[in-house]
Amino acid sequence: MRTQDYIDLEKRYNAHNYAPLDVVLERGQGVWVWDVEGNRYIDFLSAYSALNQGHAHPRILAAMVEQAQKLPLTSRAFRNSQLPLLAKELCELSGYPMMLPMNSGAEAIETALKAARKWGYRVKGVPEGAAEIITCAGNFHGRTITIVGFSTVHAYRDGFGPFTPGFVTVPFGDASALEAAITPRTVAFLIEPIQGEGGIVFPPSNYLRDVRDICTRHNVLMVADEIQTGLGRTGQFFACDWEQVHPDVVVLGKALSGGFYPVSAVLAEREVLEVFGPGDHGSTFGGNPLAAAVARESLSVLVDEGMIENARLQGAHLLGRLKRIESDHVAEVRGRGLLVGVELKPEAGHARRFCELLKDEGVLCKDTQGTVLRFAPPLVITRDEIDWAVERIEKVLLMPGLGDSHATTQ
Ligand SMILES: *Cc1c(COP(=O)(O)O)cnc(C)c1O
């Protein structure tokens, strides 16, 4: 079968809820992937940061195979011999006293929202049923009905109402707007330290510290969604570490499994996670031994192989090189660690067109918001590999008059 045969099958039998680039991948190793035609590409997306440890990391693969042969699933009706070790190791590494394991990122966000509400009623003393949670304009926290209910992106919400009440929106990066929105019923503020899907948007410096102070002052939980920014992506374990901010609740997913398996977790202060008792929350697969073994090894390799420092080092190199490209299409280059956004000028045309051209050059990345190219390679990338990719990115960004006639939409 060739590329077009796979595309035809998928179009016919699979729901059309994505518009992927027309490349059919069948193998990956480190920062490289190969398509069914044998072409090699550098992965500059890393499955939206789920592949921080690179494709098919041999140590994670070995841990996965070993656990799969022994015992993949117990359900939480019984205990297993991997979950307690993951809980201990993740808590020690992150500086939180407790964790709760789930599978997808969205489920972990839902878990954090449930914890925050129950904490509001049981600990803060908010009247039952009245809890408010503040979120940011431009947020992305997943795709459940509750989560898209507080999205500000039309397409994420359109046709999916009615939505869960109890959510309030404030502008991202505006600490006084947050403070003004807090009422005695506010239980939590949910925030991405850097908005990923929103377009690699950075808040003003010190914003996270101001948020921390405001939340502390008003007895509101600061809940950081580090699903995309955490686990080394920005050159620190958490993106919040850049401002030495310790949220009350942190949500992890994506790279927690090194790309092998859906594993997510909520990390929080005891007072928050202790609101859960037997029977009031759960997941059949959450905390299963296969997930726990994979997550343990994914965390180990991140630390053992210096991937977080490498993200800082190579990220600075990538950002520097991209900033030196003198392209008429580029409005701004911004980034931290290996999370970099190249904002195109409106007249450059849809960013997707650039992604298609980059694919033809052997660089896989994805646009976000129509105007931003997101570059987020695995954290195992070397300086030479970055230079290889930048040469190709430069070639595409220097192509003349791209957007005028070729602009496409998703
Ligand atoms: C990807 C992502 C999610 C959702 O994770 P899923 O595993 O796709 O449910 C939530 N928040 C952020 C910031 C993300 O990047």
Side-chain angles (χ1 to χ4, degrees), residues 18 47-49 103-109 140-143 147 192 194-197 225-229 251 253-254 262 264 374:
Y18 277 92
Y48 303 94
S49 293
N103 311 284
S104 70
E107 280 175 302
I109 293 287
F140 183 85
H141 299 288
R143 299 292 199 162
I147 293 172
E192 297 158 86
I194 302 163
Q195 289 188 333
E197 303 312 300
D225 178 349
E226 294 252 16
I227 291 170
Q228 185 161 159
T229 54
V251 184
K254 297 204 164 111
S264 61
R374 166 179 19 207

PDB file of all heavy atoms in Angstrom, residues 18 47-49 103-109 140-143 147 192 194-197 225-229 251 253-254 262 264 374, ligand 1:
ATOM      1  N   TYR A  18      -9.892  15.399  12.333  1.00  0.00           N
ATOM      2  CA  TYR A  18      -8.549  15.985  12.199  1.00  0.00           C
ATOM      3  C   TYR A  18      -8.301  16.284  10.724  1.00  0.00           C
ATOM      4  O   TYR A  18      -8.941  15.697   9.847  1.00  0.00           O
ATOM      5  CB  TYR A  18      -7.461  15.020  12.701  1.00  0.00           C
ATOM      6  CG  TYR A  18      -7.270  15.060  14.200  1.00  0.00           C
ATOM      7  CD1 TYR A  18      -7.962  14.190  15.036  1.00  0.00           C
ATOM      8  CD2 TYR A  18      -6.401  15.983  14.781  1.00  0.00           C
ATOM      9  CE1 TYR A  18      -7.795  14.232  16.410  1.00  0.00           C
ATOM     10  CE2 TYR A  18      -6.223  16.031  16.146  1.00  0.00           C
ATOM     11  CZ  TYR A  18      -6.922  15.157  16.966  1.00  0.00           C
ATOM     12  OH  TYR A  18      -6.753  15.203  18.311  1.00  0.00           O
ATOM     13  N   ALA A  47       4.463  14.905  18.862  1.00  0.00           N
ATOM     14  CA  ALA A  47       3.103  14.601  19.323  1.00  0.00           C
ATOM     15  C   ALA A  47       2.671  15.602  20.387  1.00  0.00           C
ATOM     16  O   ALA A  47       2.189  15.231  21.461  1.00  0.00           O
ATOM     17  CB  ALA A  47       2.993  13.158  19.828  1.00  0.00           C
ATOM     18  N   TYR A  48       2.837  16.862  20.080  1.00  0.00           N
ATOM     19  CA  TYR A  48       2.443  17.957  21.000  1.00  0.00           C
ATOM     20  C   TYR A  48       3.110  17.818  22.365  1.00  0.00           C
ATOM     21  O   TYR A  48       2.492  18.103  23.386  1.00  0.00           O
ATOM     22  CB  TYR A  48       0.916  17.998  21.144  1.00  0.00           C
ATOM     23  CG  TYR A  48       0.182  18.153  19.836  1.00  0.00           C
ATOM     24  CD1 TYR A  48      -0.275  17.033  19.146  1.00  0.00           C
ATOM     25  CD2 TYR A  48      -0.027  19.404  19.286  1.00  0.00           C
ATOM     26  CE1 TYR A  48      -0.935  17.171  17.929  1.00  0.00           C
ATOM     27  CE2 TYR A  48      -0.692  19.552  18.073  1.00  0.00           C
ATOM     28  CZ  TYR A  48      -1.144  18.436  17.397  1.00  0.00           C
ATOM     29  OH  TYR A  48      -1.792  18.562  16.208  1.00  0.00           O
ATOM     30  N   SER A  49       4.348  17.345  22.369  1.00  0.00           N
ATOM     31  CA  SER A  49       5.159  17.185  23.596  1.00  0.00           C
ATOM     32  C   SER A  49       4.952  15.856  24.312  1.00  0.00           C
ATOM     33  O   SER A  49       5.438  15.675  25.431  1.00  0.00           O
ATOM     34  CB  SER A  49       4.962  18.322  24.610  1.00  0.00           C
ATOM     35  OG  SER A  49       5.470  19.526  24.087  1.00  0.00           O
ATOM     36  N   ASN A 103      -5.486   8.727  32.598  1.00  0.00           N
ATOM     37  CA  ASN A 103      -4.957   8.272  31.308  1.00  0.00           C
ATOM     38  C   ASN A 103      -4.693   9.450  30.369  1.00  0.00           C
ATOM     39  O   ASN A 103      -3.568   9.815  30.126  1.00  0.00           O
ATOM     40  CB  ASN A 103      -5.929   7.280  30.675  1.00  0.00           C
ATOM     41  CG  ASN A 103      -6.360   6.209  31.658  1.00  0.00           C
ATOM     42  OD1 ASN A 103      -5.598   5.287  31.938  1.00  0.00           O
ATOM     43  ND2 ASN A 103      -7.542   6.343  32.217  1.00  0.00           N
ATOM     44  N   SER A 104      -5.753  10.079  29.878  1.00  0.00           N
ATOM     45  CA  SER A 104      -5.557  11.211  28.970  1.00  0.00           C
ATOM     46  C   SER A 104      -5.397  12.501  29.767  1.00  0.00           C
ATOM     47  O   SER A 104      -5.730  12.576  30.964  1.00  0.00           O
ATOM     48  CB  SER A 104      -6.752  11.340  28.034  1.00  0.00           C
ATOM     49  OG  SER A 104      -7.890  11.777  28.755  1.00  0.00           O
ATOM     50  N   GLY A 105      -4.916  13.516  29.071  1.00  0.00           N
ATOM     51  CA  GLY A 105      -4.769  14.820  29.701  1.00  0.00           C
ATOM     52  C   GLY A 105      -6.114  15.388  30.121  1.00  0.00           C
ATOM     53  O   GLY A 105      -6.263  15.917  31.232  1.00  0.00           O
ATOM     54  N   ALA A 106      -7.096  15.278  29.244  1.00  0.00           N
ATOM     55  CA  ALA A 106      -8.412  15.831  29.545  1.00  0.00           C
ATOM     56  C   ALA A 106      -8.994  15.206  30.819  1.00  0.00           C
ATOM     57  O   ALA A 106      -9.579  15.900  31.648  1.00  0.00           O
ATOM     58  CB  ALA A 106      -9.359  15.608  28.365  1.00  0.00           C
ATOM     59  N   GLU A 107      -8.797  13.900  30.988  1.00  0.00           N
ATOM     60  CA  GLU A 107      -9.309  13.242  32.202  1.00  0.00           C
ATOM     61  C   GLU A 107      -8.621  13.768  33.453  1.00  0.00           C
ATOM     62  O   GLU A 107      -9.252  13.883  34.509  1.00  0.00           O
ATOM     63  CB  GLU A 107      -8.998  11.748  32.148  1.00  0.00           C
ATOM     64  CG  GLU A 107      -9.900  10.905  31.310  1.00  0.00           C
ATOM     65  CD  GLU A 107      -9.355   9.490  31.294  1.00  0.00           C
ATOM     66  OE1 GLU A 107      -8.204   9.300  30.888  1.00  0.00           O
ATOM     67  OE2 GLU A 107     -10.083   8.589  31.717  1.00  0.00           O
ATOM     68  N   ALA A 108      -7.336  14.054  33.335  1.00  0.00           N
ATOM     69  CA  ALA A 108      -6.625  14.572  34.500  1.00  0.00           C
ATOM     70  C   ALA A 108      -7.096  15.995  34.818  1.00  0.00           C
ATOM     71  O   ALA A 108      -7.208  16.372  35.979  1.00  0.00           O
ATOM     72  CB  ALA A 108      -5.116  14.531  34.266  1.00  0.00           C
ATOM     73  N   ILE A 109      -7.382  16.784  33.774  1.00  0.00           N
ATOM     74  CA  ILE A 109      -7.942  18.122  34.004  1.00  0.00           C
ATOM     75  C   ILE A 109      -9.303  17.995  34.698  1.00  0.00           C
ATOM     76  O   ILE A 109      -9.588  18.692  35.683  1.00  0.00           O
ATOM     77  CB  ILE A 109      -8.083  18.899  32.676  1.00  0.00           C
ATOM     78  CG1 ILE A 109      -6.706  19.209  32.076  1.00  0.00           C
ATOM     79  CG2 ILE A 109      -8.902  20.177  32.871  1.00  0.00           C
ATOM     80  CD1 ILE A 109      -5.916  20.277  32.795  1.00  0.00           C
ATOM     81  N   PHE A 140      -6.393  25.991  26.261  1.00  0.00           N
ATOM     82  CA  PHE A 140      -6.667  24.644  25.748  1.00  0.00           C
ATOM     83  C   PHE A 140      -6.392  23.638  26.859  1.00  0.00           C
ATOM     84  O   PHE A 140      -5.270  23.519  27.332  1.00  0.00           O
ATOM     85  CB  PHE A 140      -5.824  24.280  24.524  1.00  0.00           C
ATOM     86  CG  PHE A 140      -6.192  22.915  24.000  1.00  0.00           C
ATOM     87  CD1 PHE A 140      -7.247  22.748  23.122  1.00  0.00           C
ATOM     88  CD2 PHE A 140      -5.515  21.779  24.439  1.00  0.00           C
ATOM     89  CE1 PHE A 140      -7.619  21.480  22.681  1.00  0.00           C
ATOM     90  CE2 PHE A 140      -5.883  20.502  24.000  1.00  0.00           C
ATOM     91  CZ  PHE A 140      -6.944  20.361  23.113  1.00  0.00           C
ATOM     92  N   HIS A 141      -7.450  22.914  27.266  1.00  0.00           N
ATOM     93  CA  HIS A 141      -7.279  21.928  28.327  1.00  0.00           C
ATOM     94  C   HIS A 141      -7.828  20.560  27.942  1.00  0.00           C
ATOM     95  O   HIS A 141      -7.901  19.674  28.790  1.00  0.00           O
ATOM     96  CB  HIS A 141      -7.950  22.417  29.616  1.00  0.00           C
ATOM     97  CG  HIS A 141      -7.381  23.706  30.143  1.00  0.00           C
ATOM     98  ND1 HIS A 141      -6.129  23.789  30.721  1.00  0.00           N
ATOM     99  CD2 HIS A 141      -7.881  24.969  30.154  1.00  0.00           C
ATOM    100  CE1 HIS A 141      -5.893  25.051  31.086  1.00  0.00           C
ATOM    101  NE2 HIS A 141      -6.933  25.788  30.757  1.00  0.00           N
ATOM    102  N   GLY A 142      -8.225  20.385  26.671  1.00  0.00           N
ATOM    103  CA  GLY A 142      -8.731  19.086  26.258  1.00  0.00           C
ATOM    104  C   GLY A 142     -10.101  19.212  25.618  1.00  0.00           C
ATOM    105  O   GLY A 142     -10.533  20.311  25.262  1.00  0.00           O
ATOM    106  N   ARG A 143     -10.793  18.067  25.487  1.00  0.00           N
ATOM    107  CA  ARG A 143     -11.961  18.030  24.600  1.00  0.00           C
ATOM    108  C   ARG A 143     -13.233  17.497  25.224  1.00  0.00           C
ATOM    109  O   ARG A 143     -14.180  17.174  24.498  1.00  0.00           O
ATOM    110  CB  ARG A 143     -11.606  17.156  23.388  1.00  0.00           C
ATOM    111  CG  ARG A 143     -10.437  17.677  22.573  1.00  0.00           C
ATOM    112  CD  ARG A 143     -10.769  18.951  21.862  1.00  0.00           C
ATOM    113  NE  ARG A 143      -9.818  19.184  20.763  1.00  0.00           N
ATOM    114  CZ  ARG A 143     -10.055  20.015  19.763  1.00  0.00           C
ATOM    115  NH1 ARG A 143     -11.174  20.701  19.724  1.00  0.00           N
ATOM    116  NH2 ARG A 143      -9.153  20.190  18.811  1.00  0.00           N
ATOM    117  N   ILE A 147     -14.770  20.755  29.526  1.00  0.00           N
ATOM    118  CA  ILE A 147     -13.569  21.522  29.163  1.00  0.00           C
ATOM    119  C   ILE A 147     -13.833  22.413  27.952  1.00  0.00           C
ATOM    120  O   ILE A 147     -13.471  23.590  27.961  1.00  0.00           O
ATOM    121  CB  ILE A 147     -12.370  20.568  28.943  1.00  0.00           C
ATOM    122  CG1 ILE A 147     -11.969  19.913  30.283  1.00  0.00           C
ATOM    123  CG2 ILE A 147     -11.188  21.333  28.344  1.00  0.00           C
ATOM    124  CD1 ILE A 147     -10.921  18.824  30.151  1.00  0.00           C
ATOM    125  N   GLU A 192      -2.572  27.569  31.949  1.00  0.00           N
ATOM    126  CA  GLU A 192      -1.371  27.040  31.306  1.00  0.00           C
ATOM    127  C   GLU A 192      -0.273  28.084  31.500  1.00  0.00           C
ATOM    128  O   GLU A 192      -0.479  29.247  31.134  1.00  0.00           O
ATOM    129  CB  GLU A 192      -1.590  26.883  29.800  1.00  0.00           C
ATOM    130  CG  GLU A 192      -2.663  25.886  29.386  1.00  0.00           C
ATOM    131  CD  GLU A 192      -3.173  26.206  27.978  1.00  0.00           C
ATOM    132  OE1 GLU A 192      -2.562  25.745  27.006  1.00  0.00           O
ATOM    133  OE2 GLU A 192      -4.172  26.940  27.859  1.00  0.00           O
ATOM    134  N   ILE A 194       2.329  28.553  29.799  1.00  0.00           N
ATOM    135  CA  ILE A 194       2.501  29.077  28.448  1.00  0.00           C
ATOM    136  C   ILE A 194       1.357  28.451  27.644  1.00  0.00           C
ATOM    137  O   ILE A 194       1.156  27.234  27.722  1.00  0.00           O
ATOM    138  CB  ILE A 194       3.851  28.639  27.826  1.00  0.00           C
ATOM    139  CG1 ILE A 194       5.029  29.105  28.686  1.00  0.00           C
ATOM    140  CG2 ILE A 194       3.989  29.156  26.387  1.00  0.00           C
ATOM    141  CD1 ILE A 194       6.339  28.379  28.382  1.00  0.00           C
ATOM    142  N   GLN A 195       0.598  29.247  26.917  1.00  0.00           N
ATOM    143  CA  GLN A 195      -0.494  28.665  26.136  1.00  0.00           C
ATOM    144  C   GLN A 195       0.075  28.001  24.886  1.00  0.00           C
ATOM    145  O   GLN A 195       0.654  28.674  24.028  1.00  0.00           O
ATOM    146  CB  GLN A 195      -1.531  29.728  25.777  1.00  0.00           C
ATOM    147  CG  GLN A 195      -2.329  30.176  26.996  1.00  0.00           C
ATOM    148  CD  GLN A 195      -3.501  31.076  26.649  1.00  0.00           C
ATOM    149  OE1 GLN A 195      -3.489  31.775  25.637  1.00  0.00           O
ATOM    150  NE2 GLN A 195      -4.523  31.068  27.493  1.00  0.00           N
ATOM    151  N   GLY A 196      -0.093  26.681  24.810  1.00  0.00           N
ATOM    152  CA  GLY A 196       0.460  25.913  23.685  1.00  0.00           C
ATOM    153  C   GLY A 196      -0.430  25.997  22.456  1.00  0.00           C
ATOM    154  O   GLY A 196      -0.093  26.643  21.461  1.00  0.00           O
ATOM    155  N   GLU A 197      -1.613  25.380  22.541  1.00  0.00           N
ATOM    156  CA  GLU A 197      -2.538  25.408  21.399  1.00  0.00           C
ATOM    157  C   GLU A 197      -2.971  26.837  21.090  1.00  0.00           C
ATOM    158  O   GLU A 197      -3.305  27.160  19.962  1.00  0.00           O
ATOM    159  CB  GLU A 197      -3.785  24.561  21.684  1.00  0.00           C
ATOM    160  CG  GLU A 197      -3.506  23.115  22.032  1.00  0.00           C
ATOM    161  CD  GLU A 197      -2.543  22.473  21.079  1.00  0.00           C
ATOM    162  OE1 GLU A 197      -2.834  22.415  19.866  1.00  0.00           O
ATOM    163  OE2 GLU A 197      -1.456  22.072  21.535  1.00  0.00           O
ATOM    164  N   ASP A 225      -1.925  23.712  34.356  1.00  0.00           N
ATOM    165  CA  ASP A 225      -1.961  22.661  33.340  1.00  0.00           C
ATOM    166  C   ASP A 225      -0.581  22.628  32.684  1.00  0.00           C
ATOM    167  O   ASP A 225      -0.263  23.453  31.837  1.00  0.00           O
ATOM    168  CB  ASP A 225      -3.061  22.960  32.316  1.00  0.00           C
ATOM    169  CG  ASP A 225      -3.120  21.915  31.199  1.00  0.00           C
ATOM    170  OD1 ASP A 225      -2.191  21.091  31.106  1.00  0.00           O
ATOM    171  OD2 ASP A 225      -4.096  21.940  30.416  1.00  0.00           O
ATOM    172  N   GLU A 226       0.242  21.655  33.110  1.00  0.00           N
ATOM    173  CA  GLU A 226       1.594  21.501  32.557  1.00  0.00           C
ATOM    174  C   GLU A 226       1.654  20.273  31.651  1.00  0.00           C
ATOM    175  O   GLU A 226       2.714  19.664  31.483  1.00  0.00           O
ATOM    176  CB  GLU A 226       2.623  21.411  33.698  1.00  0.00           C
ATOM    177  CG  GLU A 226       2.754  22.705  34.511  1.00  0.00           C
ATOM    178  CD  GLU A 226       4.074  23.452  34.246  1.00  0.00           C
ATOM    179  OE1 GLU A 226       4.760  23.154  33.237  1.00  0.00           O
ATOM    180  OE2 GLU A 226       4.409  24.322  35.075  1.00  0.00           O
ATOM    181  N   ILE A 227       0.517  19.918  31.078  1.00  0.00           N
ATOM    182  CA  ILE A 227       0.470  18.729  30.214  1.00  0.00           C
ATOM    183  C   ILE A 227       1.412  18.899  29.021  1.00  0.00           C
ATOM    184  O   ILE A 227       2.101  17.962  28.626  1.00  0.00           O
ATOM    185  CB  ILE A 227      -0.985  18.474  29.757  1.00  0.00           C
ATOM    186  CG1 ILE A 227      -1.834  18.034  30.948  1.00  0.00           C
ATOM    187  CG2 ILE A 227      -1.038  17.429  28.640  1.00  0.00           C
ATOM    188  CD1 ILE A 227      -3.330  17.973  30.672  1.00  0.00           C
ATOM    189  N   GLN A 228       1.469  20.103  28.473  1.00  0.00           N
ATOM    190  CA  GLN A 228       2.344  20.343  27.315  1.00  0.00           C
ATOM    191  C   GLN A 228       3.676  20.976  27.726  1.00  0.00           C
ATOM    192  O   GLN A 228       4.705  20.717  27.114  1.00  0.00           O
ATOM    193  CB  GLN A 228       1.629  21.260  26.308  1.00  0.00           C
ATOM    194  CG  GLN A 228       2.403  21.460  25.028  1.00  0.00           C
ATOM    195  CD  GLN A 228       1.559  21.952  23.853  1.00  0.00           C
ATOM    196  OE1 GLN A 228       2.082  22.500  22.910  1.00  0.00           O
ATOM    197  NE2 GLN A 228       0.257  21.737  23.878  1.00  0.00           N
ATOM    198  N   THR A 229       3.658  21.808  28.759  1.00  0.00           N
ATOM    199  CA  THR A 229       4.854  22.571  29.125  1.00  0.00           C
ATOM    200  C   THR A 229       5.727  21.857  30.155  1.00  0.00           C
ATOM    201  O   THR A 229       6.885  22.235  30.340  1.00  0.00           O
ATOM    202  CB  THR A 229       4.449  23.939  29.709  1.00  0.00           C
ATOM    203  OG1 THR A 229       3.521  23.718  30.788  1.00  0.00           O
ATOM    204  CG2 THR A 229       3.800  24.818  28.669  1.00  0.00           C
ATOM    205  N   VAL A 251      -1.117  19.513  36.668  1.00  0.00           N
ATOM    206  CA  VAL A 251      -1.608  18.412  35.857  1.00  0.00           C
ATOM    207  C   VAL A 251      -0.551  18.045  34.821  1.00  0.00           C
ATOM    208  O   VAL A 251      -0.030  18.911  34.115  1.00  0.00           O
ATOM    209  CB  VAL A 251      -2.931  18.792  35.157  1.00  0.00           C
ATOM    210  CG1 VAL A 251      -3.477  17.585  34.391  1.00  0.00           C
ATOM    211  CG2 VAL A 251      -3.949  19.291  36.173  1.00  0.00           C
ATOM    212  N   GLY A 253       0.612  15.047  31.701  1.00  0.00           N
ATOM    213  CA  GLY A 253       0.132  14.006  30.784  1.00  0.00           C
ATOM    214  C   GLY A 253       1.203  13.823  29.731  1.00  0.00           C
ATOM    215  O   GLY A 253       2.392  13.845  30.023  1.00  0.00           O
ATOM    216  N   LYS A 254       0.774  13.640  28.499  1.00  0.00           N
ATOM    217  CA  LYS A 254       1.687  13.596  27.356  1.00  0.00           C
ATOM    218  C   LYS A 254       3.011  12.880  27.651  1.00  0.00           C
ATOM    219  O   LYS A 254       3.017  11.659  27.700  1.00  0.00           O
ATOM    220  CB  LYS A 254       1.877  15.010  26.804  1.00  0.00           C
ATOM    221  CG  LYS A 254       0.542  15.562  26.270  1.00  0.00           C
ATOM    222  CD  LYS A 254       0.683  16.638  25.230  1.00  0.00           C
ATOM    223  CE  LYS A 254      -0.635  16.824  24.484  1.00  0.00           C
ATOM    224  NZ  LYS A 254      -1.327  18.067  24.734  1.00  0.00           N
ATOM    225  N   PRO A 262      -1.139   6.257  26.949  1.00  0.00           N
ATOM    226  CA  PRO A 262      -1.724   7.434  27.610  1.00  0.00           C
ATOM    227  C   PRO A 262      -1.598   7.332  29.133  1.00  0.00           C
ATOM    228  O   PRO A 262      -2.163   6.419  29.734  1.00  0.00           O
ATOM    229  CB  PRO A 262      -3.205   7.387  27.202  1.00  0.00           C
ATOM    230  CG  PRO A 262      -3.359   6.236  26.265  1.00  0.00           C
ATOM    231  CD  PRO A 262      -2.168   5.355  26.416  1.00  0.00           C
ATOM    232  N   SER A 264      -1.618  10.066  32.515  1.00  0.00           N
ATOM    233  CA  SER A 264      -1.682  11.431  33.041  1.00  0.00           C
ATOM    234  C   SER A 264      -1.760  11.360  34.556  1.00  0.00           C
ATOM    235  O   SER A 264      -1.977  10.286  35.123  1.00  0.00           O
ATOM    236  CB  SER A 264      -2.892  12.170  32.471  1.00  0.00           C
ATOM    237  OG  SER A 264      -4.094  11.518  32.846  1.00  0.00           O
ATOM    238  N   ARG A 374       4.576  25.878  15.192  1.00  0.00           N
ATOM    239  CA  ARG A 374       5.082  25.429  16.484  1.00  0.00           C
ATOM    240  C   ARG A 374       6.247  24.471  16.239  1.00  0.00           C
ATOM    241  O   ARG A 374       6.093  23.483  15.518  1.00  0.00           O
ATOM    242  CB  ARG A 374       3.984  24.711  17.266  1.00  0.00           C
ATOM    243  CG  ARG A 374       4.524  23.934  18.457  1.00  0.00           C
ATOM    244  CD  ARG A 374       3.482  23.219  19.279  1.00  0.00           C
ATOM    245  NE  ARG A 374       2.236  23.018  18.575  1.00  0.00           N
ATOM    246  CZ  ARG A 374       1.059  22.913  19.182  1.00  0.00           C
ATOM    247  NH1 ARG A 374       0.977  22.991  20.474  1.00  0.00           N
ATOM    248  NH2 ARG A 374      -0.038  22.711  18.473  1.00  0.00           N
TER     249      ARG A 374
HETATM  250  C1  LIG B   1      -2.815  18.105  24.993  1.00  0.00           C
HETATM  251  C2  LIG B   1      -3.261  18.979  26.106  1.00  0.00           C
HETATM  252  C3  LIG B   1      -4.361  18.640  26.907  1.00  0.00           C
HETATM  253  C4  LIG B   1      -5.242  17.443  26.639  1.00  0.00           C
HETATM  254  O1  LIG B   1      -4.569  16.235  26.687  1.00  0.00           O
HETATM  255  P1  LIG B   1      -5.242  14.947  25.972  1.00  0.00           P
HETATM  256  O2  LIG B   1      -4.333  13.819  26.357  1.00  0.00           O
HETATM  257  O3  LIG B   1      -5.264  15.233  24.508  1.00  0.00           O
HETATM  258  O4  LIG B   1      -6.611  14.806  26.532  1.00  0.00           O
HETATM  259  C5  LIG B   1      -4.678  19.482  27.959  1.00  0.00           C
HETATM  260  N1  LIG B   1      -3.968  20.582  28.209  1.00  0.00           N
HETATM  261  C6  LIG B   1      -2.904  20.954  27.451  1.00  0.00           C
HETATM  262  C7  LIG B   1      -2.145  22.187  27.797  1.00  0.00           C
HETATM  263  C8  LIG B   1      -2.529  20.172  26.359  1.00  0.00           C
HETATM  264  O5  LIG B   1      -1.515  20.554  25.596  1.00  0.00           O
END
